[in-house]
Amino acid sequence: MKLKEFQDDTVETVLEGLRNGVFAVADETGLGKTVVCGDVARKLIEADSGKGPFIIYYVAPSLELLDQNLNSFVEHLRATLEPAHAYSIHRVVSRLTQIPLVLAQRQPGQKHIFIIGLSPDTSFKINGWGREEERAYLAALFGYGQTSGIRRRVCDSFWCHKKGLEPRFSSKIASFSNPEKLGYLSNWTDHQDYQELLSKIPPAGPRTPAGLKADRQLMIEVRRKIAAFTVQSRATLPHLVIFDEWHKYKKTCFEPKRQAKPHERLVADLLAKARQSQKSKVLFVSATPFTVDYGDLQRDGGTPVSSDLRSMIQLFWDEEQFEIEYQRLLKKQQAFVQAMEQLLAHTDAANLESLKQEARRSQGAYEAELRRYCVRTERPKSALTDDSPSDADGWDQVFVSGSAKAFIDRFGAAKGVRSPIVSMWMDGHDFIDAGYAGLKGLQIPPIRETHWKMARLVRMLEDSFGFQDGLHSLAHPPLWINPEQQRRGCKHLIFSEFHFVPDEICERLKIRSKIKDTNRFSGSVLGVFPLAMKKGKRVANSETLKRSIHFPVFFPFLFWELEPAERKRRLAGGVRERIHRAIEIATSAAEAVLQVDEIILASDPNYVAALRLRRECVDTCSPIPTTPQLRGYLTAIVNSKLDRWAPGCALARLIGGQRKRASGTKLEQYESMAMGMAAAVMRLFVSPEAQVMSLKNRKIPNALSRVLPGRAPKLLKFALWYSKRFKLEATLQEFANLLAAGGKDGGAVLADIRAAMSLKRGNVGTKFFRSFHDRKADDTSMAEEGEEVTEKSLRTAFNSPFAPYVLASTSVGQEGLDFHRYCDSVIHWTPPGSPAALRQREGRVDRYQSLQVRRALWRLAQNGEQPDTNGHGDMCPDFVVMHRGQRENQSRRTVLYLPFTAQAAIWQLCLRRMHYDDLLIGAPDPLADERALLNALDRHTPEERARRFAFLKEFSISLRPRFEKF
C-alpha cells in the first residue's frame, strides 16, 4: 500500500529522531501508525549492510492487537521491499523461549528478516512446561555433546508425560542436534546456569506422579533461564524494537515503583539492552502518549502521578540526565500555561497583541522541546465545538421543569425503591426500572427485572433491526448489510468498564428477541436438505432427498472465472450439447457438477491442476441424486441464464479476481477457500431467519420458474432471488476491495472473507449478539501445552458485512483494534472518564476508509458535490471527509446515564475537558494546569468560557511532521 503524504513525512521525521536511538510516534487513532512503523522498518532494512539476519521485536499489550498489527506490518514489507526475492520474511507470535527455534529457520542465499511478536502478559510469562517442539529443542541443547546416559536422562525428563517416551519425540530431538540448529544457545553450555540445571536432571526411567511434577518444575526453571539468556544475548540483539500502545503496560513493566514480577523485569531488560546498543533502535507507538486518564490519577503526599510524557522521557535517558532534561521541559511547559492564563483572563485587553506574541513565543519553545521526543499527526479540525459534540441522548427533553427536585419527586412515587441519585459507578443491578413511575417519561416500555440501561439498549436495537416471528430477522436486510440500502452498516459497538456487562448484554438480548439457534437442516459435502423425524432422530429419506437444496447453487464453478466473451467461445461448437448430455446421465450431484467444469476447461493448461484437485476433494459417492431440479439448475447455469442470480457465480467471479492478485498462495489453498466460502454462503440461506423469510416471502419473480423447470424447492428459489435482490456479489466485492485497499493480497482477502462468514456460535449470546470475551480458542504457536489462545475470527466477522451485528467489549477492545469497516455506532454503557478514553473508543470506528467516511462521500455524491482534497495533506478523503471547511464524517454516539447522577457529572466533565485537552498536551500535572486555566475564567458564564477557550485554539500544541508540505 502506497503511503499518504503525511505518513511519508512522519516516516522521515521518525528516522531522523531515531539517530538518538529512541523516538515516539503519537498519531491520532486510525491514521496508520502500524504502516508508518512498517515503512520505518523497510528503510532500516534497506540501509542495513550486515550479513546477519535483521531482527525486529514487536511488543503489544494483547494477542489480538499483535495478530492484527503484525499482519499489516508484514504485508507492507512484502509489498515494498525491493528486490522482493532477496528477502525472506519470518513472522511469528512467540514466547521468548521459542525465539531460538525461530532464528534457526535461516536458509542461505537470502537476507532474513525475523519479525517476532511479543506480549508482556504471555510472551514474557513463563509458567508452563512449553510445547512439545520447544521441549525437544531444549532437550537437544542439554544432550548435545553428552554421553548416551545423560542424553537418555534428558529425553525422559523433558518428555514431561506419564506415558513412555515416543519415537517422534526422539526424532525431533535428533533433528535439532547440530550446531547450526542450536545457534546462539550453543554458547550457553559454558554458562553456570546450564551446569546447575544439568545436574538437577533426574535419572532415566518411568515417572511417578511426584517425579512427573518435579520434571515439570525443572522444565519451567529451564525455560525461565533460557528466556533471561535470550534477552541478554548479543545474538538476539534486535535492530528495531517497537513498543506498541506502550502506555498500557508502562506501569507494570517500565516503572520501578514496586517489586516487579519476573516477566515484567524481562520487558524492562529488553528495553535496557536495546538502549545500550548502538545497533538497536527503539520506537514507542501510541495514540495517547501525552494524555492522562483523569480517573486513574492518585496523589502521594501532594505530588501528582506523572503523565505518560514524564514516563517516556524517563525511558529515554538515564537517571542523572533525565532530571536535567525533564526540568528544562517543565520550565517551558509552565511558561506556556502561564501565557494561556493571561490570554484567557484578558482577551479584551488593550495589550492583547503583546499577550499573543508572548503566547506564541512560549508555545514555540515548548513545542520545540517536545519535538525532540515525538511526532504527532492530527486530523483536520474545523471548529472546537465540532470536536466536542454535546450530549445527543436527549435527556434534557425528558424533564419539562428542568428541576432536580421535580425529577426526584417523580422517581420517588414508587415505594420501596432507591433514589436514582446514587453513585452510578456501580452497575446498578439493584436499579431496575420495574416500579419507577418516572421512567415512563423516558418513553422506555418496562421490561420486568431488567436494568434500565438494558431496557433502553434493547429498544434501540429493536428499532435498528426488528425482532420478528421469534427470530432475529434484520429486515433491512435480514442476512447481511446491503451496500445499496440506506440503513447499511447497522452495527453497534458497545463499551463497558464492567467485565460481566458484555456477557449479560448478549444473554439479555437473546432472551428478549427469543432467538432460536436450532436448525432443521443438516449438511453434507454437496448438499443441505431437510430431514424427516423417525423415533426422535432426524434421518434422510427418499422424499427429503428429492426436495434437497443442493450445494451446486453455491458452487463456485471455475468456468465462471472466465470473461463473458471467452466463456461464450468455449461453449460453441457442440460443447454445450455435450454438457447437457453429461448432466442427464450423471447419477450423483457431485459427478454432474464436476462434469460441467471438466468439459469446458479440459483443454486449458491453466486449469488442469485445479480440476484435478476438485475431483480429489469432492466426494462423488455423495448420496444426493441428480434430481430434475438439479439438472434444470445446471442447464440454466451453462446457458448463462442465472449469472445475475446464482450465489455460486458471484463467488466464482470474486475468487477469479482475487486469484489474479495472488502472491505466493498455493492452488490447494485456493480450492480449500473456494469450498469453504461456498459452504459459508450456503449457511446464510439455511439459517432460521432465512427459512422464515422464504416461507413468507411472495415476491420471488416468475422469471425463476421459467429458468428452473420442475418444482424447485422454495428455499432454493429464495436463495437465488435474495442474492440478486440484495446484491450478494456487490457486498462481497466491496468487502474484498476494502481488504485489498488495506494491503492484503488475493489469498489473504479470500481467507478473511471466509473467516468472517464462517464464525461459529459462541457460549454467550447468539451469532448476532456477541461478547468480545466469548471467543473460540485454537492451538497456535503461542500456546503452551494445555493452554488455549483466542483466534481472530470474531474480530474479523464483526469487521465484515455479516454477523455479528452487535459486539460488546470492555477496555480490551478499546485500543488499537479495527472495527470500522461496517460499523459507525459506539454505545458507551458507562461514560468515559477522560477525553483520551472517549477518543480511543470512538477511534475504533473512525479509521482508514471507514463506514462513516464512505457514508459521507455517498451523501456528497447524492448532492453532486465533491470533498475538499486540497490543503489536507492527502488525508482527505480516506481518513476524513472535509467539505467547505467542515468535517462531514462523524461516528454515531450513544451515552447511557441518568441526569443528576455521578455519571452525568463525569460525562459533562469529559466533554468540558475536550475544550482544552490539546492545550495541555504533555502536561506533567494536568489537573493543576486545568485548575489554573479554569480559575482564570471563574467569573464568566459557561458560554463565555467556551468562547474564550475557542479563542485559544490557535495556540494548541502541534507536533506535525517537520517535513510536512501542507
Side-chain angles (χ1 to χ4, degrees):
M1 183 177 73
K2 187 179 184 301
L3 266 63
K4 302 293 183 181
E5 182 182 359
F6 73 91
Q7 293 171 331
D8 278 326
D9 294 339
T10 303
V11 170
E12 295 300 325
T13 305
V14 170
L15 290 172
E16 181 179 322
L18 284 177
R19 293 177 181 176
N20 296 325
V22 185
F23 202 64
V25 176
D27 287 355
E28 284 189 353
T29 58
L31 292 186
K33 294 184 292 294
T34 304
V35 178
V36 166
C37 292
D39 211 56
V40 168
R42 175 184 68 86
K43 295 199 172 187
L44 291 176
I45 291 169
E46 292 176 345
D48 180 51
S49 58
K51 296 182 180 180
F54 194 96
I55 302 175
I56 301 173
Y57 288 165
Y58 196 106
V59 185
S62 68
L63 292 179
E64 288 82 5
L65 189 60
L66 266 180
D67 178 77
Q68 172 188 280
N69 289 358
L70 280 185
N71 284 339
S72 300
F73 191 92
V74 173
E75 285 163 3
H76 180 78
L77 284 182
R78 286 176 175 158
T80 55
L81 278 174
E82 294 181 355
H85 63 81
Y87 298 95
S88 177
I89 300 177
H90 307 269
R91 175 258 198 211
V92 62
V93 177
S94 181
R95 293 186 186 271
L96 285 176
T97 52
Q98 296 172 350
I99 289 178
L101 269 173
V102 176
L103 299 182
Q105 297 175 9
R106 284 184 278 176
Q107 299 292 333
Q110 286 182 312
K111 176 75 172 181
H112 289 268
I113 304 167
F114 292 98
I115 304 170
I116 302 171
L118 303 170
S119 175
D121 286 336
T122 50
S123 303
F124 294 84
K125 190 180 290 185
I126 314 296
N127 290 331
W129 54 90
R131 293 168 58 86
E132 183 177 298
E133 187 178 25
E134 180 188 348
R135 297 200 306 274
Y137 185 85
L138 296 179
L141 172 68
F142 276 83
Y144 184 71
Q146 303 293 341
T147 63
S148 58
I150 294 178
R151 289 199 299 270
R152 180 64 182 176
R153 288 168 50 199
V154 169
C155 289
D156 285 352
S157 182
F158 283 41
W159 173 229
C160 290
H161 284 295
K162 187 176 182 180
K163 59 183 178 182
L165 182 67
E166 295 183 359
R168 59 181 173 82
F169 189 69
S170 301
S171 300
K172 287 183 179 180
I173 295 175
S175 66
F176 293 133
S177 297
N178 63 75
E180 291 184 0
K181 290 288 186 181
L182 295 177
Y184 71 91
L185 285 184
S186 300
N187 301 325
W188 191 54
T189 56
D190 299 329
H191 202 276
Q192 182 179 356
D193 288 339
Y194 172 85
Q195 300 298 332
E196 291 178 357
L197 291 170
L198 187 63
S199 64
K200 293 182 180 180
I201 298 176
R207 292 296 195 258
T208 63
L212 189 60
K213 183 177 180 180
D215 285 343
R216 291 178 175 174
Q217 290 297 324
L218 175 63
M219 196 68 244
I220 293 173
E221 186 178 358
V222 168
R223 296 177 69 231
R224 287 180 176 173
K225 296 290 186 181
I226 291 290
F229 181 76
T230 296
V231 168
Q232 299 298 331
S233 174
R234 291 186 58 84
T236 61
L237 185 66
H239 294 74
L240 177 64
V241 182
I242 300 174
F243 290 99
D244 196 0
E245 301 293 352
W246 69 279
H247 64 284
K248 295 283 287 186
Y249 46 91
K250 73 180 181 72
K251 292 181 181 179
T252 56
C253 299
F254 294 143
E255 295 183 0
K257 292 183 178 179
R258 60 183 180 83
Q259 185 65 32
K261 297 178 182 178
H263 72 278
E264 294 169 353
R265 288 197 297 268
L266 285 175
V267 180
D269 291 344
L270 176 63
L271 173 63
K273 186 181 78 166
R275 280 182 50 200
Q276 294 167 4
S277 170
Q278 295 181 353
K279 166 185 169 183
S280 297
K281 308 294 183 185
V282 180
L283 183 59
F284 290 96
V285 182
S286 175
T288 58
F290 299 144
T291 57
V292 176
D293 189 348
Y294 293 88
D296 288 344
L297 279 177
Q298 302 292 333
R299 289 184 174 273
D300 182 14
T303 303
V305 172
S306 306
S307 69
D308 285 343
L309 175 65
R310 188 180 192 279
S311 301
M312 188 174 71
I313 297 176
Q314 198 165 12
L315 298 176
F316 279 31
W317 304 97
D318 56 34
E319 186 173 351
E320 182 178 348
Q321 185 66 21
F322 159 73
E323 290 298 333
I324 299 173
E325 297 288 337
Y326 185 65
Q327 290 302 319
R328 181 169 61 187
L329 175 76
L330 190 59
K331 290 179 180 178
K332 295 182 179 181
Q333 194 270 341
Q334 290 172 344
F336 173 64
V337 173
Q338 291 171 2
M340 295 298 101
E341 286 182 69
Q342 294 297 316
L343 271 177
L344 285 174
H346 305 93
T347 55
D348 301 323
N351 60 342
L352 182 61
E353 284 303 319
S354 62
L355 292 176
K356 283 186 176 182
Q357 291 178 5
E358 177 61 24
R360 290 193 181 94
R361 187 194 63 79
S362 59
Q363 175 203 21
Y366 181 46
E367 189 174 295
E369 190 68 26
L370 289 175
R371 283 183 178 274
R372 297 177 59 200
Y373 306 101
C374 179
V375 61
R376 178 183 176 90
T377 305
E378 298 176 349
R379 287 180 174 83
K381 294 180 172 65
S382 55
L384 184 67
T385 53
D386 291 339
D387 300 328
S388 305
S390 60
D391 174 28
D393 287 342
W395 290 108
D396 293 339
Q397 289 130 18
V398 172
F399 313 105
V400 179
S401 65
S403 166
K405 182 177 183 301
F407 174 74
I408 294 174
D409 290 342
R410 292 172 67 187
F411 273 86
K415 297 181 179 180
V417 183
R418 288 192 193 181
S419 166
I421 314 302
V422 295
S423 175
M424 294 300 292
W425 279 117
M426 301 305 293
D427 163 70
H429 272 288
D430 51 353
F431 193 88
I432 58 177
D433 67 344
Y436 278 85
L439 280 177
K440 294 180 181 179
L442 304 183
Q443 297 180 349
I444 302 176
I447 301 176
R448 301 292 299 181
E449 302 301 322
T450 302
H451 187 260
W452 72 268
K453 291 187 179 183
M454 192 70 66
R456 186 175 181 200
L457 181 62
V458 169
R459 301 305 183 192
M460 184 175 68
L461 296 180
E462 283 180 339
D463 290 340
S464 295
F465 304 130
F467 299 131
Q468 301 173 3
D469 306 307
L471 293 168
H472 190 289
S473 63
L474 290 178
H476 300 279
L479 303 184
W480 57 76
I481 302 302
N482 180 10
E484 303 302 327
Q485 290 295 315
Q486 188 175 2
R487 297 188 67 173
R488 92 189 254 188
C490 290
K491 290 198 174 191
H492 299 277
L493 185 59
I494 305 173
F495 285 112
S496 169
E497 296 176 1
F498 305 103
H499 288 281
F500 60 86
V501 167
D503 291 354
E504 183 172 340
I505 287 174
C506 295
E507 286 303 305
R508 288 286 182 176
L509 289 174
K510 181 178 179 180
I511 294 171
R512 178 61 184 168
S513 58
K514 300 178 181 178
I515 294 173
K516 300 175 182 178
D517 282 321
T518 57
N519 197 334
R520 294 187 298 111
F521 293 79
S522 176
S524 70
V525 175
L526 278 176
V528 173
F529 45 86
L531 298 176
M533 297 297 295
K534 187 176 182 180
K535 294 183 179 180
K537 297 182 179 180
R538 290 173 178 161
V539 296
N541 57 31
S542 58
E543 185 61 29
T544 57
L545 286 175
K546 289 179 182 178
R547 296 186 288 110
S548 61
I549 298 133
H550 292 293
F551 185 82
V553 176
F554 312 96
F555 192 85
F557 290 92
L558 289 171
F559 79 90
W560 273 101
E561 297 182 11
L562 302 173
E563 295 296 329
E566 176 65 15
R567 193 166 57 244
K568 184 177 179 180
R569 185 187 67 81
R570 296 196 181 205
L571 288 171
V575 175
R576 199 187 305 269
E577 289 71 19
R578 285 178 54 200
I579 295 174
H580 292 170
R581 288 195 300 271
I583 293 173
E584 289 297 325
I585 64 175
T587 58
S588 71
E591 187 61 37
V593 166
L594 294 175
Q595 283 290 325
V596 173
D597 263 340
E598 289 177 352
I599 293 175
I600 297 175
L601 302 173
S603 59
D604 192 333
N606 296 323
Y607 288 96
V608 171
L611 291 171
R612 184 181 67 252
L613 278 172
R614 288 207 170 177
R615 182 160 284 278
E616 292 174 356
C617 295
V618 175
D619 182 11
T620 55
C621 298
S622 171
I624 299 178
T626 48
T627 60
Q629 293 87 352
L630 175 62
R631 292 191 180 98
Y633 172 78
L634 292 179
T635 302
I637 281 284
V638 175
N639 295 337
S640 301
K641 293 183 178 180
L642 286 177
D643 57 326
R644 295 178 302 165
W645 306 75
C649 298
L651 285 174
R653 285 189 285 264
L654 172 70
I655 294 168
Q658 297 304 319
R659 194 194 296 266
K660 297 174 183 176
R661 297 184 57 251
S663 59
T665 305
K666 296 181 180 179
L667 182 61
E668 293 84 351
Q669 294 173 301
Y670 263 106
E671 293 307 307
S672 174
M673 283 186 285
M675 297 299 103
M677 289 176 65
V681 173
M682 179 177 61
R683 281 193 290 270
L684 290 176
F685 289 99
V686 297
S687 60
E689 66 274 10
Q691 297 171 36
V692 171
M693 285 196 68
S694 67
L695 294 174
K696 285 196 167 188
N697 199 302
R698 302 185 183 279
K699 298 179 181 179
I700 298 177
N702 293 329
L704 271 179
S705 299
R706 294 192 295 268
V707 174
L708 292 173
R711 300 182 61 185
K714 186 174 181 63
L715 194 53
L716 185 151
K717 287 186 177 182
F718 170 76
L720 295 172
W721 167 78
Y722 196 91
S723 65
K724 177 178 180 291
R725 172 67 179 81
F726 290 109
K727 299 179 176 62
L728 171 64
E729 183 170 3
T731 302
L732 292 173
Q733 291 290 356
E734 182 196 39
F735 188 25
N737 291 338
L738 290 173
L739 293 172
K744 294 182 180 293
D745 68 1
V749 166
L750 294 179
D752 274 12
I753 295 176
R754 176 185 176 180
M757 291 191 296
S758 303
L759 181 68
K760 297 179 180 179
R761 184 176 61 190
N763 297 321
V764 178
T766 70
K767 64 180 179 182
F768 299 102
F769 316 117
R770 292 295 292 269
S771 166
F772 192 58
H773 308 278
D774 175 36
R775 293 157 287 182
K776 291 294 177 182
D778 187 24
D779 187 24
T780 68
S781 60
M782 271 300 303
E784 301 259 358
E785 193 163 302
E787 176 188 16
E788 293 181 338
V789 177
T790 59
E791 58 186 4
K792 65 176 182 179
S793 58
L794 181 55
R795 172 169 48 84
T796 302
F798 185 75
N799 222 10
S800 77
F802 306 101
Y805 297 99
V806 178
L807 185 65
S809 175
T810 61
S811 59
V812 171
Q814 181 174 303
E815 295 189 16
L817 299 177
D818 296 343
F819 297 114
H820 63 292
R821 290 195 178 101
Y822 290 91
C823 176
D824 67 350
S825 170
V826 178
I827 299 173
H828 303 273
W829 183 266
T830 48
S834 70
L838 178 62
R839 286 170 173 166
Q840 281 286 2
R841 289 181 178 184
E842 299 187 353
R844 300 311 98 219
V845 299
D846 186 10
R847 308 177 78 77
Y848 178 72
Q849 293 186 352
S850 63
L851 176 65
Q852 58 176 282
V853 165
R854 305 199 305 276
R855 272 181 163 167
L857 292 174
W858 181 81
R859 287 194 299 268
L860 291 177
Q862 291 295 103
N863 298 327
E865 296 177 315
Q866 296 290 330
D868 303 334
T869 56
N870 297 326
H872 301 296
D874 231 10
M875 195 171 288
C876 179
D878 288 323
F879 295 91
V880 63
V881 179
M882 302 296 293
H883 181 62
R884 297 177 182 175
Q886 299 294 321
R887 176 172 171 167
E888 293 292 324
N889 62 299
Q890 295 286 349
S891 59
R892 292 182 292 161
R893 174 192 299 166
T894 304
V895 186
L896 300 176
Y897 67 93
L898 284 175
F900 312 112
T901 62
Q903 287 192 350
I906 288 168
W907 174 235
Q908 296 303 323
L909 180 62
C910 175
L911 292 179
R912 188 167 68 245
R913 279 172 168 157
M914 291 187 71
H915 285 285
Y916 46 82
D917 188 59
D918 289 338
L919 290 173
L920 300 179
I921 184 172
D925 188 357
L927 291 182
D929 293 336
E930 176 184 320
R931 286 192 298 271
L933 293 178
L934 291 176
N935 288 338
L937 295 172
D938 194 36
R939 65 182 183 276
H940 296 290
T941 63
E943 293 77 12
E944 178 63 16
R945 289 185 182 187
R947 188 188 71 79
R948 296 203 175 197
F949 272 120
F951 171 75
L952 291 186
K953 190 65 177 177
E954 61 180 290
F955 299 99
S956 295
I957 296 296
S958 173
L959 300 176
R960 291 178 177 175
R962 295 170 180 166
F963 301 94
E964 195 168 25
K965 307 175 184 62
F966 288 5

